[in-house]
Amino acid sequence: MNTEAPVDVLVIGAGPAGAMAAALSRRNGLSVRVLEKTRFPRFSIGESMLPQSLTLLEEAGMLEAVEKAGFQFKDGAQIVREDRKVDFVFSMKTCAGHPYAYQVTRADFDHILANEAERQGAEVRYEQDIIAADFSGDTALLTARDAAGRESRHSARFVFDASGFGRILPRLLQLDAPADFPVRASLFIHVEDHIEDAAFDRNKIRVAVHPVHGDVWYWLIPFSEGRASIGVVAEDAFLQKYPGDLTERLMALVAEEPGMKRMLRNAKPIWPSAREIRGYATAVSSLHGRNFALLGNAGKFLDPVFSSGVTIALKSASLAAPLAHRQLQGGTVDWEKEFAEPLMLGVDTFKGYVETWYEGALQTVMFSDNRPPRVYELLCSVLAGYAWDTENPYVGKSGRRLRALAQTLRNREASDQAPPVR
Ligand SMILES: Cc1cc2nc3c(=O)[nH]c(=O)nc-3n(C[C@H](O)[C@H](O)[C@H](O)COP(=O)(O)OP(=O)(O)OC[C@H]3O[C@@H](n4cnc5c(N)ncnc54)[C@H](O)[C@@H]3O)c2cc1C
């Protein structure tokens, strides 16, 4: 087995979290090696960005390359249920930061970020599958296997696990914990969309709720050049009831949502078949150890409904990289207080939104005509990814506040409809 030159920082996985952690560590003057299992460009799900992610990419000197790539501009999200429709426009947010984002093919987006990390001096090696990790000594020892089956050993003073759903350290170090949500699944495909509806706004992700099942929803993410990503999310058991292959099951579900059915009537699949991902919600008992931190999906993934995954992944790297640098300089770091707790503020914000979305309370708030204008702006901020803004009362333990507001709005609507007392 080859023993490679030691580095300060080793990053497992070259997705957004890994590329960002690598770039930031390089900017701090550390030597960095990224080991990525696949060869880029490679497909990844998660195509709708939030404005907060742009602000984070700017911090790592990666935004310019993304801005130049010609991705589809995104200025908000449209939420639809039958004849109810609401546009959340990011520029209505209450805090500082970018008011727009992009809808991206992740193969291209992730490749750009990995190249940017490389440009900043990180060594990025592809087709390197991490298969073992030993954290018993002063430096971490990782074993990688390449595409030809050759193994190599890498030692590092600090390790970022950014392996996404690969979840390398949670599995190798037994850090897995029960997820917060039931087992949900998604069917999705890329299409030439041929949407002719002049009212259709390509600058927004369209999230549509199933007309009968309030916990089943669809995404329509327009890309540039007339293409789009479409998908449906539901509890796994619900999706399994639909017969046929993956494409037939997805299209049967698309036909049940009138807007999706109408807009996509001329759509032509680009892929030979729809794809499926199941049981993606993850959690861990700890997000850090003596000389490692778990970033992005390798630590925690909630749910796709508010497109928060890449933002959380980038935020985790942005919080962790300076702490690892300080530790490697001989400083003291309280990883729980300085990394896990600040990260979880935003994760808990989104968790409250996800829970109340599926329960129905958030949909009540979103679609209500009586929702106070200020609440709309505060929701726009969170939906733009500014989920760490402590000035926003709908940040943090957001679920209780959203449930209470939904109840107030329901009571008000019920009393508005009650016949006048004589
Ligand atoms: C159905 C669905 C829809 C989604 N939609 C959105 C969305 O619209 N917007 C959004 O922001 N997020 C979305 N997400 C979430 C998003 O996909 C993830 O949160 C995001 O990709 C996480 O980034 P990451 O860097 O942590 O991991 P990843 O992007 O998954 O990158 C991890 C990398 O690690 C590599 N790796 C894995 N194992 C190993 C190994 N053994 N050795 C070396 N490398 C390894 C992988 O090959 C991969 O390149 C969605 C998720 C799902 C399930």
Side-chain angles (χ1 to χ4, degrees):
M1 185 184 320
N2 241 11
T3 299
E4 304 288 334
V7 284
D8 294 323
V9 170
L10 198 136
V11 184
I12 311 175
M20 171 99 177
L24 290 173
S25 299
R26 278 301 304 143
R27 291 167 95 80
N28 285 328
L30 301 171
S31 59
V32 180
R33 183 176 302 142
V34 182
L35 298 176
E36 161 59 45
K37 182 176 175 177
T38 65
R39 177 148 290 280
F40 278 20
R42 56 92 181 91
F43 172 79
S44 174
I45 191 64
E47 297 143 332
S48 197
M49 298 299 110
L50 302 181
Q52 164 80 91
S53 64
L54 269 54
T55 305
L56 292 163
L57 288 173
E58 193 168 33
E59 207 181 282
M62 295 170 143
L63 181 57
E64 209 183 320
V66 170
E67 298 265 22
K68 278 190 192 146
F71 292 124
Q72 171 65 47
F73 181 80
K74 174 184 175 190
D75 66 5
Q78 180 171 84
I79 317 284
V80 183
R81 183 162 185 182
E82 295 183 282
D83 55 355
R84 285 168 292 173
K85 185 162 79 174
V86 55
D87 283 358
F88 288 95
V89 178
F90 295 146
S91 61
M92 299 299 288
K93 70 188 171 56
T94 55
C95 57
H98 284 78
Y100 65 89
Y102 294 101
Q103 292 171 154
V104 304
T105 43
R106 285 286 302 278
D108 302 312
F109 178 79
D110 290 14
H111 203 190
I112 289 171
L113 300 192
N115 287 343
E116 282 299 294
E118 211 165 7
R119 187 183 59 77
Q120 298 191 40
E123 180 194 354
V124 183
R125 293 195 198 173
Y126 293 98
E127 296 184 320
Q128 297 288 333
D129 183 3
I130 300 294
I131 53 167
D134 176 359
F135 284 87
S136 58
D138 280 347
T139 56
L141 278 181
L142 274 81
T143 309
R145 185 182 290 142
D146 72 12
R150 283 182 302 254
E151 293 186 4
S152 55
R153 178 161 294 168
H154 304 257
S155 69
R157 296 167 68 209
F158 199 90
V159 175
F160 289 120
D161 183 1
S163 61
F165 293 123
R167 311 191 77 246
I168 297 308
L169 295 191
R171 287 194 289 108
L172 292 174
L173 305 179
Q174 282 91 44
L175 300 172
D176 272 320
D180 300 316
F181 295 107
V183 179
R184 293 201 171 90
S186 176
L187 293 167
F188 50 91
I189 197 165
H190 283 185
V191 296
E192 304 263 8
D193 59 68
H194 298 287
I195 297 174
E196 286 158 4
D197 185 343
F200 178 63
D201 183 355
R202 298 195 77 85
N203 293 342
K204 291 186 178 63
I205 181 175
R206 182 179 188 276
V207 172
V209 183
H210 190 285
V212 178
H213 306 284
D215 63 341
V216 178
W217 61 273
Y218 305 79
W219 76 72
L220 169 53
I221 300 175
F223 296 135
S224 50
E225 295 167 4
R227 296 182 167 199
S229 168
I230 62 175
V232 62
V233 173
E235 286 202 16
D236 192 35
F238 178 88
L239 286 186
Q240 295 305 326
K241 285 192 212 140
Y242 284 73
D245 63 25
L246 296 179
T247 311
E248 287 164 343
R249 288 163 60 205
L250 172 58
M251 290 311 166
L253 277 145
V254 163
E256 291 179 13
E257 202 285 307
M260 295 284 281
K261 183 181 175 187
R262 180 172 37 79
M263 280 188 288
L264 295 169
R265 63 181 181 275
N266 298 321
K268 302 266 176 302
I270 298 170
W271 297 347
S273 164
R275 300 180 193 186
E276 182 181 41
I277 179 164
R278 300 162 74 180
Y280 35 70
T282 56
V284 285
S285 54
S286 174
L287 285 167
H288 51 85
R290 187 171 51 86
N291 47 2
F292 70 85
L294 308 181
L295 307 182
N297 281 10
K300 184 120 184 133
F301 181 68
L302 297 169
D303 188 274
V305 65
F306 298 116
S307 307
S308 60
V310 170
T311 300
I312 292 173
L314 296 176
K315 180 73 180 183
S316 66
S318 151
L319 286 168
L323 299 177
H325 177 236
R326 193 204 305 158
Q327 182 166 310
L328 295 182
Q329 299 287 97
T332 312
V333 176
D334 183 337
W335 282 91
E336 190 58 26
K337 284 226 147 12
E338 298 181 72
F339 172 62
E341 287 176 16
L343 180 63
M344 288 308 291
L345 174 71
V347 173
D348 282 340
T349 303
F350 281 115
K351 186 174 165 200
Y353 282 63
V354 170
E355 284 170 353
T356 53
W357 168 265
Y358 287 105
E359 289 163 19
L362 180 55
Q363 293 184 31
T364 300
V365 172
M366 286 178 155
F367 292 122
S368 172
D369 295 331
N370 295 320
R371 184 195 53 232
R374 181 69 181 162
V375 170
Y376 169 81
E377 292 167 6
L378 295 166
L379 294 188
C380 282
S381 291
V382 172
L383 297 182
Y386 297 102
W388 290 266
D389 171 23
T390 49
E391 304 279 295
N392 186 337
Y394 288 88
V395 155
K397 305 275 179 207
S398 53
R400 213 175 42 179
R401 191 174 273 266
L402 288 166
R403 284 182 196 101
L405 177 60
Q407 194 52 52
T408 307
L409 293 168
R410 280 192 205 109
N411 292 344
R412 173 134 176 231
E413 274 149 33
S415 67
D416 284 351
Q417 281 163 14
V421 182
R422 292 183 194 279

